[in-house]
Amino acid sequence: MTKQYLLTLLFLAGLLLAGCQSDDMAVPAPETGSVRTLKITASMPLEGNAGTRVTASQKEGSKNIELRWKERDVIQFYFKQENKIIKGDAILLLNFSADGKRAEFTVPVPGTVNTAYPFDLYGVHGAQSSILDNAIVLDGRPSGFQPLDKIAVPIFFKAQDLTDVTALDVVFRHYGALHVATLKNSSPFGLSPRNIFLSIAGNPWFHQGTGQTIPVYDLISETVLQKLIPFDALPSVPLSPLVTGDNTKLAQWVMPNGQNPPGFALALTLNDGLTISSDT
């Protein structure tokens, strides 16, 4: 009995000693690299390309679209390291140049990204985005026709194989295009449009949804996919009444599919339910 009792005491003492040793052991933190923020200087796409949701305007007598950042625009960031994609912060723009062409901001690096090893950085503005099937997908649905200075046109940038960088200059790019139409009311009375759309004869020249799927742009592979994804409904901007003789610039954003445009007309549904077309 005495021997068994002593063995039990020795066993318990060993457990207590092991517990004390475990408490005193330092657990090394995971390596994340020394760079934890990135200073980004972002430039708008060159003139002549489609505009963005930032203030967009068209030069008189020119097809070029002038682009401007505006206060409180938001850029959503994504990081990719090896085969892992991490959604970063959405950064609010508060510091941009006087001409609105360049903006500066600081981006926090997620703790799961080790900046001592190569990683990729992506930024998205003007579009809904998500991580799906190990890809970063951007909404590719065509917008409705809206005033040029109010339409949201998505842009993105990508910077790859970054290591221990603290500052970065990036230029945004487009993955879609704008239709810009000048609408003139030649009737002797004012019009109150509820909806404006293209009446297309033949196959459209831009990507559309098919059944339950919608077109999305894969930011990593830069390809167009059809995916079942619950993006929010596209925003709708109320259209202003058109007085007699009035000219209004309206724009629609689309992702071209490589097809040549067939015959089409611009159609309006008025508030009273009547639909009129530019070819009638």
Side-chain angles (χ1 to χ4, degrees), residues 17 27 182:
L17 179 59
V27 179
T182 300

Side-chain angles (χ1 to χ4, degrees), residues 148-187:
L148 184 58
D149 62 345
K150 292 182 172 59
I151 190 168
V153 178
I155 53 175
F156 73 93
F157 80 83
K158 59 194 305 184
Q160 297 176 294
D161 294 326
L162 304 175
T163 305
D164 279 336
V165 295
T166 58
L168 193 65
D169 286 354
V170 299
V171 179
F172 276 79
R173 298 159 51 190
H174 297 280
Y175 65 95
L178 280 181
H179 309 308
V180 180
T182 300
L183 187 64
K184 182 177 180 179
N185 181 8
S186 300
S187 69

Side-chain angles (χ1 to χ4, degrees), residues 23-73:
D23 290 341
D24 293 337
M25 289 177 62
V27 179
E31 186 181 4
T32 61
S34 59
V35 178
R36 302 319 311 156
T37 60
L38 297 173
K39 183 179 179 181
I40 306 291
T41 301
S43 298
M44 298 300 298
L46 298 176
E47 292 183 11
N49 294 322
T52 70
R53 178 189 170 279
V54 302
T55 303
S57 60
Q58 192 168 29
K59 290 182 178 179
E60 188 69 29
S62 170
K63 294 183 178 180
N64 287 348
I65 302 295
E66 293 187 319
L67 317 172
R68 301 285 187 273
W69 292 112
K70 65 180 181 61
E71 192 173 0
R72 306 191 74 80
D73 277 331

